Amino acid sequence: MKLSRKNGLRASAIGALVVSGALVLSACGSDNNNEPAKEGGKTSAAASNIKCDGAKGQLLAAGSSAQKNAMDLWVKNFQAACSGVEINYQAIGSGGGITKFNQGQVAFAGSDSALKDEEVAESAKICKTGKGVNLPMVGGPIAIGYKLDGVDNLVLDASTIAKIFDNKITKWNDPAIAKLNSGAKLPDSTIQAFHRSDESGTTQNLGKYLSTAAAADWKHDPKSKSWPAQGGQAANGSSGVATAVKDAEGSIGYFELSYATANKISTVSINTGAAAPVAATTENASKAIAAAKVKGTGSDLALSLDYATKAEGAYPIVLVTYEIACDKGNKAETLPTLKAFLNFTASEEGQKVLSDAGYAPLPAEIAAKVREIVPTLS
């Protein structure tokens, strides 16, 4: 780990998003990829329902670290079903994945944010007869994790989070934090704020939340995948930030909830203006994700999320991870494997694997649209 000082389609199926918050998937890593995934000591049945449809050879992909554990599960099941196929996914961050995709180095990219207009335009050079499209595949909460001895139930709002990460609040007993945590024994110690060193859709989604819910306090570009503020300390990937927070007293950082759960890191509850602060759980994030709308057109399914929600029990800092592929102009030699793999990840079986593991599967209406589009990729 490297450290430094830095159209109206409603996703209404809330029930499809109810999942547990725990996610410890060390058994689903990159080793033994020719064996079926095992869950709770039992072999997954998902592989038996996978249609290989001419899949063969190696498929290269890269991007979001938020979906790495989900991708490990999908890859293990797919490779168990489709002999001779190798799916190689590099969790290098959303920005890195999009760069590789637009350079023609990978068949698809994983990103925690939809392609920007300029990235879509750039993708046309690789897709040739088409362009890159956003296919949502999994969602979940971005947790604000912290380590502060004696403080078990920290509450923050968008304004204090913005000021902490912008180096405007530097002490744990700052009056703004104390006001939100009456009775808590906050130390007169320096806050160590950690952020991502790599380009990240997680960073971008946090920025969108802060720019929306704390516009007066967060003046940075909400579209930036690179950390835009001064100060703080940087670490590579969500795993790097989580490790840094776990190891440093007085620290705070942001990462997907699964990393907080796996590392037993305390997470902040958000004062959104609702009757009670909202904890970072997948059920609470589901209430926000289920209200998403499709803003993309044609084969593009980019979603619009309400980061300023004040709905009771709705956790506002959320992300949806997309798989980005060409709608037309995919390489002929990898197209069958690409479609077969994405058909599986979007299928009921593929999404069920996520639910069993602790991820939030897609809302039913969104999943149905993805299943319609993947077979049309050409």
Coordinates of all heavy atoms in Angstrom, one line a residue, residues 9-109:
L9 N -37.7 5.4 -16.0 CA -37.9 4.0 -15.6 C -37.6 3.9 -14.1 O -36.5 4.1 -13.7 CB -37.0 3.0 -16.4 CG -37.0 1.6 -16.0 CD1 -38.4 1.0 -16.2 CD2 -36.0 0.8 -16.9
R10 N -38.6 3.5 -13.3 CA -38.4 3.5 -11.9 C -37.8 2.1 -11.4 O -38.3 1.1 -11.9 CB -39.7 3.8 -11.1 CG -40.3 5.1 -11.5 CD -39.7 6.3 -10.8 NE -39.8 6.1 -9.3 CZ -39.3 7.1 -8.5 NH1 -38.7 8.2 -9.0 NH2 -39.4 7.0 -7.2
A11 N -36.9 2.1 -10.6 CA -36.4 0.9 -10.0 C -37.1 0.6 -8.7 O -36.7 1.0 -7.6 CB -34.9 0.9 -9.8
S12 N -38.4 0.1 -8.8 CA -39.2 0.0 -7.7 C -39.2 -1.3 -6.9 O -39.9 -1.4 -5.9 CB -40.7 0.3 -8.1 OG -41.0 -0.7 -9.1
A13 N -38.4 -2.2 -7.3 CA -38.4 -3.5 -6.7 C -37.5 -3.5 -5.5 O -36.4 -4.0 -5.5 CB -38.1 -4.6 -7.7
I14 N -37.9 -2.9 -4.4 CA -37.1 -2.8 -3.2 C -36.8 -4.2 -2.7 O -35.7 -4.5 -2.2 CB -37.8 -1.9 -2.1 CG1 -37.9 -0.5 -2.7 CG2 -37.0 -2.0 -0.8 CD1 -38.6 0.4 -1.7
G15 N -37.8 -5.1 -2.7 CA -37.6 -6.4 -2.2 C -36.4 -7.2 -2.8 O -35.8 -8.0 -2.2
A16 N -36.1 -6.8 -4.1 CA -35.0 -7.5 -4.8 C -33.7 -7.1 -4.2 O -32.6 -7.6 -4.5 CB -35.0 -7.2 -6.3
L17 N -33.6 -6.0 -3.4 CA -32.4 -5.5 -2.9 C -32.1 -5.8 -1.4 O -31.1 -5.3 -0.9 CB -32.4 -4.0 -3.1 CG -32.3 -3.5 -4.5 CD1 -32.7 -2.0 -4.6 CD2 -30.9 -3.6 -5.0
V18 N -32.9 -6.6 -0.8 CA -32.7 -6.8 0.6 C -31.6 -7.9 0.8 O -31.8 -9.0 0.4 CB -34.0 -7.3 1.3 CG1 -33.7 -7.6 2.8 CG2 -35.1 -6.3 1.2
V19 N -30.5 -7.5 1.4 CA -29.4 -8.4 1.5 C -28.7 -8.2 2.8 O -29.0 -7.2 3.5 CB -28.3 -8.1 0.4 CG1 -28.9 -8.5 -1.0 CG2 -27.8 -6.7 0.4
S20 N -27.8 -9.0 3.2 CA -27.1 -8.8 4.5 C -25.9 -7.9 4.2 O -25.4 -7.8 3.1 CB -26.6 -10.2 5.0 OG -25.5 -10.7 4.2
G21 N -25.4 -7.3 5.3 CA -24.2 -6.4 5.1 C -22.9 -7.1 5.2 O -21.9 -6.5 4.8
A22 N -22.9 -8.4 5.6 CA -21.6 -9.0 5.8 C -21.0 -9.5 4.4 O -21.8 -10.0 3.6 CB -21.7 -10.2 6.7
L23 N -19.7 -9.4 4.2 CA -19.1 -9.9 3.0 C -17.7 -10.2 3.3 O -16.8 -9.3 3.4 CB -19.2 -8.9 1.9 CG -18.5 -9.3 0.6 CD1 -19.1 -10.6 0.1 CD2 -18.7 -8.2 -0.5
V24 N -17.3 -11.5 3.5 CA -16.0 -11.9 3.6 C -15.8 -13.0 2.6 O -16.2 -14.2 2.8 CB -15.7 -12.4 5.1 CG1 -14.2 -12.8 5.2 CG2 -16.1 -11.3 6.1
L25 N -15.1 -12.7 1.5 CA -15.0 -13.7 0.4 C -13.6 -14.1 0.1 O -13.2 -14.3 -1.0 CB -15.6 -13.0 -0.8 CG -17.1 -12.7 -0.7 CD1 -17.5 -12.0 -2.0 CD2 -17.9 -13.9 -0.5
S26 N -12.8 -14.3 1.2 CA -11.4 -14.8 0.9 C -11.4 -16.1 0.2 O -10.4 -16.4 -0.5 CB -10.7 -14.8 2.2 OG -11.3 -15.8 3.1
A27 N -12.4 -16.9 0.3 CA -12.4 -18.2 -0.4 C -12.8 -18.0 -1.9 O -12.8 -19.0 -2.6 CB -13.4 -19.1 0.3
C28 N -13.1 -16.8 -2.3 CA -13.5 -16.6 -3.7 C -12.5 -15.8 -4.4 O -12.8 -14.9 -5.2 CB -14.9 -15.9 -3.7 SG -16.2 -16.8 -2.9
G29 N -11.2 -15.9 -4.1 CA -10.2 -15.2 -4.8 C -9.8 -15.8 -6.1 O -10.6 -16.6 -6.7
S30 N -8.7 -15.4 -6.6 CA -8.3 -15.7 -8.0 C -7.7 -17.1 -8.1 O -7.5 -17.6 -9.1 CB -7.3 -14.7 -8.5 OG -6.1 -14.7 -7.7
D31 N -7.4 -17.8 -6.9 CA -6.9 -19.1 -7.0 C -8.0 -20.2 -7.2 O -9.2 -19.9 -6.9 CB -6.1 -19.5 -5.8 CG -6.9 -19.3 -4.5 OD1 -7.9 -18.5 -4.5 OD2 -6.6 -20.1 -3.5
N32 N -7.7 -21.3 -7.7 CA -8.6 -22.4 -7.8 C -9.8 -22.0 -8.7 O -11.0 -22.4 -8.4 CB -9.1 -23.0 -6.5 CG -7.9 -23.5 -5.7 OD1 -7.0 -24.1 -6.2 ND2 -7.9 -23.3 -4.4
N33 N -9.6 -21.3 -9.7 CA -10.7 -20.7 -10.5 C -11.4 -21.8 -11.3 O -12.4 -21.5 -12.0 CB -10.2 -19.6 -11.4 CG -10.2 -18.3 -10.7 OD1 -10.8 -18.2 -9.6 ND2 -9.4 -17.4 -11.2
N34 N -10.9 -23.0 -11.4 CA -11.6 -24.1 -12.1 C -12.5 -24.9 -11.3 O -13.1 -25.8 -11.7 CB -10.5 -25.0 -12.8 CG -9.8 -24.3 -13.9 OD1 -10.3 -23.5 -14.6 ND2 -8.5 -24.6 -14.0
E35 N -12.7 -24.5 -10.0 CA -13.6 -25.2 -9.1 C -14.9 -24.3 -8.9 O -14.8 -23.1 -8.9 CB -13.0 -25.4 -7.8 CG -11.7 -26.4 -7.9 CD -11.1 -26.6 -6.5 OE1 -11.7 -26.1 -5.5 OE2 -10.1 -27.3 -6.5
P36 N -16.0 -24.9 -8.7 CA -17.2 -24.2 -8.4 C -17.1 -23.4 -7.2 O -16.4 -23.8 -6.2 CB -18.3 -25.3 -8.3 CG -17.7 -26.5 -9.0 CD -16.3 -26.4 -8.8
A37 N -17.7 -22.2 -7.1 CA -17.7 -21.4 -5.9 C -18.4 -22.2 -4.8 O -19.3 -22.9 -5.0 CB -18.4 -20.1 -6.1
K38 N -17.9 -22.0 -3.6 CA -18.5 -22.6 -2.4 C -19.1 -21.6 -1.5 O -18.4 -20.6 -1.1 CB -17.5 -23.5 -1.7 CG -17.1 -24.7 -2.6 CD -16.2 -25.7 -1.8 CE -15.9 -26.9 -2.7 NZ -15.2 -28.0 -2.0
E39 N -20.3 -21.8 -1.0 CA -20.9 -20.8 -0.1 C -21.4 -21.6 1.1 O -22.2 -22.5 1.0 CB -22.1 -20.2 -0.9 CG -21.6 -19.4 -2.1 CD -22.7 -19.3 -3.1 OE1 -23.9 -19.6 -2.8 OE2 -22.4 -18.9 -4.2
G40 N -20.9 -21.2 2.3 CA -21.4 -21.9 3.5 C -21.0 -23.4 3.4 O -21.7 -24.2 4.0
G41 N -19.9 -23.7 2.8 CA -19.5 -25.1 2.7 C -20.1 -25.9 1.6 O -19.9 -27.1 1.4
K42 N -21.0 -25.4 0.9 CA -21.8 -26.1 -0.2 C -21.4 -25.5 -1.6 O -21.2 -24.3 -1.7 CB -23.3 -25.9 0.0 CG -23.8 -26.6 1.3 CD -25.3 -26.5 1.4 CE -25.8 -27.1 2.7 NZ -27.3 -27.0 2.8
T43 N -21.3 -26.4 -2.5 CA -21.0 -25.9 -3.9 C -22.2 -25.2 -4.5 O -23.3 -25.6 -4.4 CB -20.7 -27.1 -4.8 OG1 -19.6 -27.8 -4.2 CG2 -20.3 -26.7 -6.2
S44 N -21.9 -24.0 -5.1 CA -22.9 -23.2 -5.7 C -23.6 -24.0 -6.9 O -22.9 -24.6 -7.7 CB -22.4 -21.9 -6.2 OG -23.3 -21.2 -7.0
A45 N -24.9 -23.8 -7.0 CA -25.6 -24.5 -8.1 C -25.7 -23.6 -9.3 O -26.2 -24.0 -10.4 CB -27.0 -24.8 -7.6
A46 N -25.2 -22.3 -9.2 CA -25.3 -21.4 -10.3 C -24.7 -21.9 -11.6 O -25.2 -21.7 -12.7 CB -24.8 -20.0 -9.9
A47 N -23.5 -22.5 -11.4 CA -22.8 -23.0 -12.6 C -23.6 -23.9 -13.5 O -23.4 -24.0 -14.7 CB -21.5 -23.6 -12.2
S48 N -24.5 -24.7 -12.9 CA -25.2 -25.7 -13.6 C -26.2 -25.0 -14.6 O -26.7 -25.7 -15.5 CB -26.0 -26.6 -12.7 OG -26.9 -25.9 -11.9
N49 N -26.6 -23.7 -14.4 CA -27.5 -23.0 -15.2 C -26.9 -22.1 -16.2 O -27.6 -21.4 -16.9 CB -28.5 -22.2 -14.3 CG -29.3 -23.1 -13.4 OD1 -29.8 -24.2 -13.8 ND2 -29.4 -22.8 -12.1
I50 N -25.6 -22.1 -16.3 CA -24.9 -21.1 -17.1 C -24.9 -21.7 -18.6 O -24.6 -22.8 -18.8 CB -23.4 -20.9 -16.7 CG1 -23.5 -20.2 -15.3 CG2 -22.6 -20.1 -17.7 CD1 -22.1 -20.1 -14.7
K51 N -25.2 -20.8 -19.6 CA -25.1 -21.1 -21.0 C -23.8 -20.6 -21.5 O -23.6 -19.3 -21.5 CB -26.3 -20.6 -21.7 CG -27.7 -21.2 -21.2 CD -28.8 -20.6 -22.0 CE -30.2 -21.2 -21.5 NZ -31.3 -20.6 -22.3
C52 N -23.0 -21.4 -22.0 CA -21.7 -21.0 -22.5 C -21.8 -20.3 -23.9 O -21.0 -19.4 -24.2 CB -20.7 -22.1 -22.5 SG -20.4 -22.8 -20.9
D53 N -22.7 -20.8 -24.7 CA -23.0 -20.2 -26.0 C -21.7 -19.8 -26.8 O -21.6 -18.7 -27.3 CB -23.8 -18.9 -25.8 CG -25.2 -19.2 -25.3 OD1 -25.7 -20.3 -25.6 OD2 -25.8 -18.4 -24.7
G54 N -20.8 -20.8 -27.0 CA -19.7 -20.6 -27.8 C -18.5 -19.8 -27.1 O -17.5 -19.5 -27.8
A55 N -18.6 -19.6 -25.8 CA -17.5 -19.0 -25.1 C -16.3 -19.8 -25.2 O -16.3 -21.0 -25.0 CB -17.9 -18.8 -23.6
K56 N -15.1 -19.1 -25.4 CA -13.9 -19.8 -25.5 C -12.7 -18.9 -25.3 O -12.8 -17.7 -25.4 CB -13.7 -20.5 -26.9 CG -13.7 -19.5 -28.0 CD -13.6 -20.3 -29.4 CE -13.6 -19.2 -30.5 NZ -13.5 -19.9 -31.8
G57 N -11.6 -19.4 -24.9 CA -10.4 -18.6 -24.8 C -10.4 -17.7 -23.6 O -11.2 -17.8 -22.6
Q58 N -9.6 -16.6 -23.7 CA -9.4 -15.7 -22.6 C -10.2 -14.4 -22.9 O -10.2 -13.9 -24.0 CB -7.9 -15.4 -22.4 CG -7.6 -14.5 -21.2 CD -6.1 -14.1 -21.1 OE1 -5.6 -13.5 -22.0 NE2 -5.5 -14.6 -20.0
L59 N -10.8 -13.9 -21.8 CA -11.5 -12.6 -21.9 C -10.8 -11.7 -20.8 O -10.8 -12.0 -19.6 CB -13.0 -12.8 -21.6 CG -13.8 -11.5 -21.8 CD1 -14.0 -11.2 -23.3 CD2 -15.2 -11.7 -21.1
L60 N -10.3 -10.5 -21.3 CA -9.6 -9.6 -20.4 C -10.6 -8.5 -20.0 O -11.3 -7.9 -20.9 CB -8.4 -9.0 -21.1 CG -7.3 -10.0 -21.5 CD1 -6.2 -9.2 -22.2 CD2 -6.8 -10.8 -20.3
A61 N -10.6 -8.1 -18.7 CA -11.4 -7.0 -18.3 C -10.7 -6.3 -17.1 O -9.8 -6.9 -16.5 CB -12.8 -7.5 -17.8
A62 N -11.1 -5.1 -16.8 CA -10.5 -4.4 -15.7 C -11.4 -3.3 -15.2 O -12.3 -2.8 -15.9 CB -9.1 -3.8 -16.2
G63 N -11.1 -2.8 -14.0 CA -11.8 -1.7 -13.5 C -12.1 -1.7 -12.0 O -11.3 -2.1 -11.2
S64 N -13.4 -1.4 -11.7 CA -13.8 -1.2 -10.3 C -13.3 -2.2 -9.3 O -13.5 -3.4 -9.5 CB -15.4 -1.2 -10.3 OG -15.9 -1.3 -9.0
S65 N -12.8 -1.7 -8.2 CA -12.4 -2.6 -7.1 C -13.6 -2.9 -6.2 O -13.6 -3.9 -5.5 CB -11.3 -2.0 -6.3 OG -11.6 -0.8 -5.7
A66 N -14.6 -2.1 -6.3 CA -15.8 -2.3 -5.5 C -16.5 -3.6 -5.9 O -17.1 -4.2 -5.0 CB -16.8 -1.1 -5.7
Q67 N -16.4 -4.0 -7.1 CA -17.1 -5.2 -7.5 C -16.2 -6.4 -7.6 O -16.6 -7.5 -8.1 CB -17.8 -5.0 -8.9 CG -16.8 -4.9 -10.1 CD -17.5 -5.0 -11.4 OE1 -18.7 -5.1 -11.5 NE2 -16.7 -5.0 -12.5
K68 N -15.0 -6.3 -7.1 CA -14.0 -7.4 -7.2 C -14.5 -8.7 -6.6 O -14.4 -9.7 -7.2 CB -12.7 -7.0 -6.5 CG -11.6 -8.1 -6.6 CD -10.4 -7.8 -5.8 CE -9.4 -9.0 -6.0 NZ -9.9 -10.3 -5.6
N69 N -15.1 -8.6 -5.4 CA -15.6 -9.8 -4.8 C -16.7 -10.4 -5.5 O -16.8 -11.7 -5.6 CB -16.0 -9.6 -3.3 CG -14.8 -9.2 -2.5 OD1 -13.7 -9.8 -2.6 ND2 -14.9 -8.2 -1.6
A70 N -17.6 -9.6 -6.1 CA -18.7 -10.1 -6.9 C -18.1 -10.7 -8.2 O -18.5 -11.8 -8.6 CB -19.6 -9.0 -7.3
M71 N -17.1 -10.1 -8.8 CA -16.5 -10.6 -10.0 C -15.8 -11.9 -9.7 O -15.9 -12.9 -10.6 CB -15.5 -9.6 -10.6 CG -15.0 -9.9 -12.0 SD -16.3 -9.9 -13.2 CE -16.9 -8.2 -13.3
D72 N -15.2 -12.1 -8.6 CA -14.5 -13.3 -8.2 C -15.6 -14.5 -8.2 O -15.3 -15.6 -8.7 CB -13.9 -13.2 -6.8 CG -12.6 -12.5 -6.8 OD1 -12.0 -12.2 -7.9 OD2 -12.1 -12.1 -5.8
L73 N -16.8 -14.2 -7.7 CA -17.8 -15.2 -7.6 C -18.3 -15.6 -9.0 O -18.4 -16.7 -9.4 CB -19.0 -14.7 -6.8 CG -18.9 -14.8 -5.3 CD1 -20.1 -14.2 -4.7 CD2 -18.8 -16.3 -4.9
W74 N -18.6 -14.5 -9.8 CA -19.1 -14.7 -11.2 C -18.0 -15.5 -12.0 O -18.4 -16.5 -12.7 CB -19.3 -13.4 -11.9 CG -20.6 -12.7 -11.4 CD1 -21.7 -13.3 -11.0 CD2 -20.8 -11.3 -11.4 NE1 -22.7 -12.3 -10.7 CE2 -22.1 -11.1 -10.9 CE3 -20.0 -10.2 -11.7 CZ2 -22.6 -9.8 -10.8 CZ3 -20.5 -8.9 -11.5 CH2 -21.8 -8.7 -11.1
V75 N -16.8 -15.1 -11.9 CA -15.7 -15.8 -12.7 C -15.6 -17.2 -12.3 O -15.5 -18.1 -13.2 CB -14.4 -15.0 -12.5 CG1 -13.2 -15.9 -13.1 CG2 -14.4 -13.7 -13.2
K76 N -15.6 -17.5 -11.0 CA -15.4 -18.9 -10.6 C -16.6 -19.8 -11.1 O -16.3 -20.9 -11.6 CB -15.3 -18.9 -9.0 CG -15.1 -20.3 -8.5 CD -14.5 -20.3 -7.1 CE -13.1 -19.8 -7.0 NZ -12.5 -20.1 -5.7
N77 N -17.8 -19.3 -11.0 CA -18.9 -20.1 -11.5 C -18.9 -20.2 -13.0 O -19.2 -21.3 -13.5 CB -20.2 -19.4 -11.0 CG -20.6 -19.7 -9.6 OD1 -21.3 -20.7 -9.3 ND2 -20.3 -18.8 -8.7
F78 N -18.6 -19.2 -13.7 CA -18.6 -19.2 -15.2 C -17.5 -20.2 -15.7 O -17.7 -21.0 -16.6 CB -18.4 -17.8 -15.7 CG -18.6 -17.7 -17.2 CD1 -19.9 -17.7 -17.7 CD2 -17.6 -17.7 -18.1 CE1 -20.2 -17.6 -19.1 CE2 -17.8 -17.6 -19.5 CZ -19.1 -17.6 -20.0
Q79 N -16.3 -20.1 -15.1 CA -15.2 -21.0 -15.5 C -15.5 -22.4 -15.2 O -15.1 -23.3 -15.9 CB -13.9 -20.5 -14.9 CG -13.4 -19.2 -15.5 CD -12.1 -18.7 -15.0 OE1 -11.5 -17.8 -15.6 NE2 -11.6 -19.3 -13.9
A80 N -16.2 -22.6 -14.1 CA -16.6 -24.0 -13.7 C -17.5 -24.6 -14.7 O -17.5 -25.8 -15.0 CB -17.2 -24.0 -12.3
A81 N -18.4 -23.8 -15.3 CA -19.4 -24.3 -16.3 C -18.8 -24.4 -17.7 O -19.2 -25.2 -18.5 CB -20.6 -23.4 -16.2
C82 N -17.9 -23.5 -18.0 CA -17.4 -23.3 -19.4 C -16.0 -23.7 -19.5 O -15.1 -22.9 -19.3 CB -17.7 -21.9 -19.9 SG -19.4 -21.4 -19.8
S83 N -15.7 -25.0 -19.9 CA -14.4 -25.5 -20.0 C -13.5 -24.7 -21.0 O -14.0 -24.4 -22.1 CB -14.5 -27.0 -20.4 OG -13.2 -27.5 -20.5
G84 N -12.3 -24.5 -20.6 CA -11.4 -23.8 -21.5 C -11.5 -22.3 -21.5 O -10.7 -21.6 -22.3
V85 N -12.4 -21.7 -20.8 CA -12.6 -20.3 -20.7 C -11.8 -19.7 -19.5 O -11.9 -20.2 -18.4 CB -14.1 -19.9 -20.7 CG1 -14.2 -18.4 -20.5 CG2 -14.8 -20.4 -21.9
E86 N -11.2 -18.6 -19.8 CA -10.5 -17.8 -18.7 C -11.0 -16.4 -18.7 O -10.8 -15.7 -19.7 CB -9.0 -17.9 -18.8 CG -8.3 -17.1 -17.7 CD -6.7 -17.1 -17.9 OE1 -6.3 -17.7 -18.9 OE2 -6.1 -16.4 -17.2
I87 N -11.6 -15.9 -17.6 CA -12.0 -14.5 -17.4 C -10.9 -13.9 -16.5 O -10.8 -14.3 -15.4 CB -13.4 -14.4 -16.8 CG1 -14.4 -15.2 -17.6 CG2 -13.8 -12.9 -16.8 CD1 -14.6 -14.8 -19.0
N88 N -10.2 -12.9 -17.0 CA -9.2 -12.3 -16.3 C -9.6 -10.8 -15.9 O -9.6 -10.0 -16.8 CB -7.8 -12.3 -17.0 CG -6.7 -11.7 -16.2 OD1 -6.8 -11.0 -15.3 ND2 -5.5 -12.1 -16.6
Y89 N -10.0 -10.6 -14.7 CA -10.5 -9.2 -14.3 C -9.5 -8.6 -13.3 O -9.2 -9.2 -12.3 CB -11.9 -9.3 -13.6 CG -12.4 -8.0 -13.2 CD1 -13.0 -7.1 -14.1 CD2 -12.2 -7.5 -11.9 CE1 -13.5 -5.9 -13.8 CE2 -12.7 -6.2 -11.5 CZ -13.4 -5.4 -12.5 OH -13.8 -4.2 -12.1
Q90 N -9.0 -7.4 -13.7 CA -8.0 -6.7 -12.9 C -8.8 -5.6 -12.1 O -9.3 -4.7 -12.8 CB -6.9 -6.1 -13.7 CG -6.0 -7.1 -14.4 CD -5.0 -6.5 -15.3 OE1 -5.3 -5.7 -16.2 NE2 -3.7 -6.8 -15.0
A91 N -8.7 -5.6 -10.8 CA -9.4 -4.6 -10.0 C -8.5 -3.4 -9.8 O -7.8 -3.3 -8.8 CB -9.8 -5.2 -8.7
I92 N -8.4 -2.6 -10.8 CA -7.4 -1.5 -10.8 C -8.1 -0.1 -10.6 O -7.4 0.9 -10.7 CB -6.6 -1.4 -12.1 CG1 -7.5 -1.3 -13.4 CG2 -5.8 -2.7 -12.3 CD1 -6.8 -1.1 -14.7
G93 N -9.4 -0.1 -10.3 CA -10.1 1.1 -10.2 C -10.9 1.5 -11.5 O -10.5 1.1 -12.6
S94 N -12.0 2.2 -11.3 CA -12.8 2.5 -12.4 C -12.1 3.3 -13.5 O -12.3 3.1 -14.7 CB -14.0 3.3 -11.9 OG -14.8 2.6 -11.0
G95 N -11.3 4.3 -13.1 CA -10.6 5.2 -14.1 C -9.7 4.3 -14.9 O -9.6 4.5 -16.1
G96 N -8.9 3.5 -14.3 CA -8.0 2.6 -15.0 C -8.7 1.7 -15.9 O -8.2 1.4 -17.0
G97 N -9.8 1.1 -15.5 CA -10.6 0.2 -16.3 C -11.1 0.9 -17.6 O -11.0 0.4 -18.7
I98 N -11.6 2.1 -17.4 CA -12.2 2.9 -18.6 C -11.0 3.2 -19.5 O -11.2 3.1 -20.8 CB -12.9 4.1 -18.1 CG1 -14.2 3.7 -17.4 CG2 -13.2 5.1 -19.3 CD1 -14.9 4.9 -16.8
T99 N -9.9 3.6 -19.0 CA -8.7 3.9 -19.8 C -8.3 2.7 -20.7 O -8.1 2.8 -21.9 CB -7.5 4.3 -19.0 OG1 -7.8 5.6 -18.3 CG2 -6.3 4.5 -19.8
K100 N -8.2 1.5 -20.0 CA -7.9 0.3 -20.8 C -8.9 -0.1 -21.8 O -8.6 -0.5 -22.9 CB -7.7 -0.9 -19.8 CG -6.4 -0.9 -19.0 CD -6.3 -2.1 -18.1 CE -4.9 -2.2 -17.6 NZ -3.8 -2.6 -18.6
F101 N -10.2 0.1 -21.5 CA -11.3 -0.1 -22.4 C -11.2 0.8 -23.6 O -11.2 0.3 -24.8 CB -12.6 0.1 -21.8 CG -13.8 -0.1 -22.7 CD1 -14.2 -1.4 -23.1 CD2 -14.5 1.0 -23.2 CE1 -15.3 -1.6 -24.0 CE2 -15.6 0.8 -24.0 CZ -16.0 -0.5 -24.5
N102 N -10.9 2.1 -23.4 CA -10.9 3.0 -24.5 C -9.6 2.9 -25.3 O -9.4 3.6 -26.3 CB -11.1 4.4 -24.0 CG -12.6 4.7 -23.8 OD1 -13.4 4.0 -24.4 ND2 -12.9 5.8 -23.1
Q103 N -8.6 2.1 -24.8 CA -7.4 1.9 -25.5 C -7.5 0.5 -26.2 O -6.5 0.1 -26.8 CB -6.2 1.9 -24.6 CG -5.9 3.3 -24.1 CD -4.7 3.3 -23.1 OE1 -4.3 2.3 -22.5 NE2 -4.2 4.5 -22.8
G104 N -8.6 -0.2 -26.1 CA -8.8 -1.5 -26.7 C -8.0 -2.6 -26.0 O -7.9 -3.7 -26.6
Q105 N -7.6 -2.4 -24.8 CA -6.9 -3.5 -24.1 C -7.7 -4.5 -23.4 O -7.3 -5.6 -23.1 CB -5.9 -2.8 -23.1 CG -4.9 -1.9 -23.7 CD -4.0 -1.3 -22.6 OE1 -3.7 -1.9 -21.5 NE2 -3.6 -0.1 -22.8
V106 N -9.0 -4.2 -23.2 CA -9.9 -5.1 -22.5 C -11.2 -5.2 -23.2 O -11.6 -4.2 -23.9 CB -10.1 -4.7 -21.0 CG1 -8.8 -4.8 -20.2 CG2 -10.7 -3.3 -20.9
A107 N -12.0 -6.3 -23.0 CA -13.2 -6.5 -23.7 C -14.3 -5.7 -23.0 O -15.3 -5.2 -23.6 CB -13.6 -7.9 -23.7
F108 N -14.2 -5.5 -21.7 CA -15.2 -4.7 -21.0 C -14.5 -4.1 -19.7 O -13.5 -4.6 -19.3 CB -16.5 -5.4 -20.6 CG -16.3 -6.4 -19.5 CD1 -16.5 -6.1 -18.1 CD2 -16.0 -7.7 -19.7 CE1 -16.4 -7.0 -17.1 CE2 -15.9 -8.7 -18.7 CZ -16.1 -8.3 -17.4
A109 N -15.1 -3.0 -19.2 CA -14.6 -2.4 -18.0 C -15.6 -2.3 -17.0 O -16.8 -2.3 -17.3 CB -14.1 -0.9 -18.3

